Amino acid sequence: RVKAAGLENSDCVVVFMTKCYLTKACGDGPNGSNDNCKFEFDLSLRRKGVDRMIPVVMEKGMRSTSNWTGVVGGKLGGILYYDLSSEGPAYASNLLQLAAAIRSCAGIGKGDSDLSLVDLHIGNQPRQKPTPASAAFQKRWLLGYRRTLVMAGHPLSRQGWNGPYVCSGTQFNDRWVWRRQKARVVCFPIADTAIVWDTCKESWSLVFEGGFEDGRVHPRAVIAQSQCKGRTPLGAWEHGLRCRKP
């Protein structure tokens, strides 16, 4: 209901194009036609129409509209998109153009201040990083609130991946990243691992470090996935694994 109300009260819809989003919006993701991305996209088409939808490319592989398959490609493939897939020299210019397109679609004049914050964080000034979480959550984190989780259940051959995972204070896909403390079994170092949120699978994944970037988790880097979908990895995982409080 909240998502539907938000769309109903919006002047335009900005569609951030990634391979994962395309798959889910077309109904080909793990949740099929019940996926929230598909619901939002379909509702946007019905309520706002193509004329009030602005595609923004967030991955280099999506720059060619020939890769936009299904209903997303059919509806948005012929519309001018804005490229924010890399932070090169053209990034600031593309961001300004996107801001202008949103103003025009929403009926906001150039003199209005609604999007003035966009202009303040581009050009020669460094763009500010988003705040990881609310001040209250940060305070609880600093006091040790769920700062450490314990992964258990790996067999002897993977014993090094059992043990404590510490919240790094950084986020991936808008959720915390937990990293395994440096560990060794006998004299052999254990490959670094982390627990991250996988938006495509809509579950937590235990992955090798370096196996996640740009909002995507590389399938070959995944060691195991959770059966829980909460804000933290606590709960049952596949292969009899379990993530618990220390």
Side-chain angles (χ1 to χ4, degrees):
R1 293 177 60 183
V2 174
K3 293 180 180 180
L7 282 169
E8 296 281 1
N9 296 324
S10 299
D11 293 312
C12 64
V13 178
V14 179
V15 183
F16 293 98
M17 298 295 298
T18 65
K19 184 177 180 180
C20 180
Y21 177 83
L22 178 69
T23 300
K24 298 175 73 174
C26 291
D28 297 327
N31 294 327
S33 59
N34 291 323
D35 200 290
N36 286 334
C37 291
K38 178 172 174 56
F39 167 76
E40 292 171 352
F41 187 82
D42 292 346
L43 186 62
S44 298
L45 286 174
R46 290 195 296 270
R47 293 291 189 265
K48 304 302 174 184
V50 173
D51 293 340
R52 290 190 171 274
M53 298 177 70
I54 303 173
V56 179
V57 170
M58 301 300 293
E59 294 177 351
K60 295 179 181 179
M62 301 302 292
R63 287 174 174 171
S64 174
T65 54
S66 62
N67 294 330
W68 300 9
T69 56
V71 64
V72 178
K75 294 294 185 179
L76 302 183
I79 299 178
L80 175 67
Y81 69 77
Y82 298 88
D83 185 6
L84 298 182
S85 61
S86 62
E87 297 191 5
Y91 184 91
S93 174
N94 293 344
L95 191 59
L96 275 176
Q97 293 178 36
L98 172 60
I102 295 174
R103 287 193 188 97
S104 176
C105 186
I108 301 173
K110 290 185 177 180
D112 295 334
S113 59
D114 298 59
L115 297 180
S116 59
L117 287 177
V118 175
D119 302 331
L120 293 176
H121 298 307
I122 61 177
N124 295 325
Q125 300 183 33
R127 291 184 295 119
Q128 294 182 357
K129 295 182 179 180
T131 303
S134 68
F137 193 97
Q138 281 281 40
K139 183 177 180 180
R140 290 198 300 269
W141 178 77
L142 291 172
L143 292 174
Y145 174 77
R146 289 188 182 176
R147 184 176 179 180
T148 302
L149 303 177
V150 175
M151 181 66 72
H154 281 292
L156 182 62
S157 60
R158 295 184 174 184
Q159 185 65 29
W161 294 330
N162 288 329
Y165 284 73
V166 178
C167 185
S168 63
T170 60
Q171 291 188 327
F172 179 78
N173 288 332
D174 296 324
R175 301 203 186 185
W176 293 113
V177 175
W178 277 267
R179 287 187 162 87
R180 178 74 170 95
Q181 297 286 64
K182 295 289 184 180
R184 302 174 72 93
V185 173
V186 190
C187 60
F188 299 100
I190 303 301
D192 292 338
T193 53
I195 300 175
V196 299
W197 177 255
D198 187 344
T199 54
C200 287
K201 299 292 185 180
E202 292 193 347
S203 66
W204 292 93
S205 293
L206 176 64
V207 299
F208 292 109
E209 278 286 4
F212 55 98
E213 60 181 352
D214 298 330
R216 295 182 59 195
V217 176
H218 300 291
R220 292 185 179 181
V222 176
I223 301 169
Q225 289 187 311
S226 71
Q227 297 175 353
C228 52
K229 300 180 183 292
R231 294 295 300 179
T232 68
L234 292 171
W237 286 55
E238 63 182 3
H239 310 313
L241 304 179
R242 189 165 189 84
C243 186
R244 57 178 176 79
K245 296 180 182 180

